[in-house]
Amino acid sequence: MATSKAYRIRGTVLPDGDVREIFIVDGRITYQGADGVETLLEDCVLVPGLVDVHAHLTMSFPQPDLPPEERAATNAAAHLDAGVLLIREPGSPEIGSRGIGPDALLPRVITSGRFLSAPGHGVPGLGPRGTT
């Protein structure tokens, strides 16, 4: 059976600001060191939990007739079930994800708001009404 590599990461853990070492051993994150670790990163910022850095929470939803806020919250809940604690949404056709976060027991969402495009540019139907 092949042995897997072990990795070390040292950085500032958010939100507390403590500097810690974490290790990845057999594909799992742990605070316990291992023999023969390879350092991957030092002096970095660590966020506990997974991060989805590109999501559109009101799009690709099986029930498009639901209000945008409900579609976004349902998709955010699915992200949470997968272990995602932070979602970066670089824009969406609607502003359904505004205000989603830990207060609603959902991942924190950083959103850019509604898609913007110059008249005649962008993807038809995805910009603000009347622009594409």
Side-chain angles (χ1 to χ4, degrees), residues 14-89:
L14 295 181
D16 298 330
D18 298 331
V19 176
R20 295 197 67 172
E21 287 186 329
I22 64 167
F23 300 88
I24 303 169
V25 180
D26 295 326
R28 296 188 180 269
I29 296 173
T30 179
Y31 292 109
Q32 303 297 322
D35 293 331
V37 297
E38 177 184 330
T39 298
L40 287 179
L41 291 169
E42 290 201 42
D43 299 323
C44 61
V45 176
L46 302 170
V47 178
L50 299 174
V51 177
D52 185 339
V53 297
H54 192 128
H56 303 285
L57 296 176
T58 61
M59 296 174 64
S60 299
F61 197 73
Q63 297 171 303
D65 56 326
L66 292 177
E69 295 78 14
E70 196 170 331
R71 283 183 274 151
T74 301
N75 277 332
H79 277 73
L80 184 63
D81 288 345
V84 174
L85 298 180
L86 177 65
I87 300 170
R88 176 188 162 267
E89 184 182 53

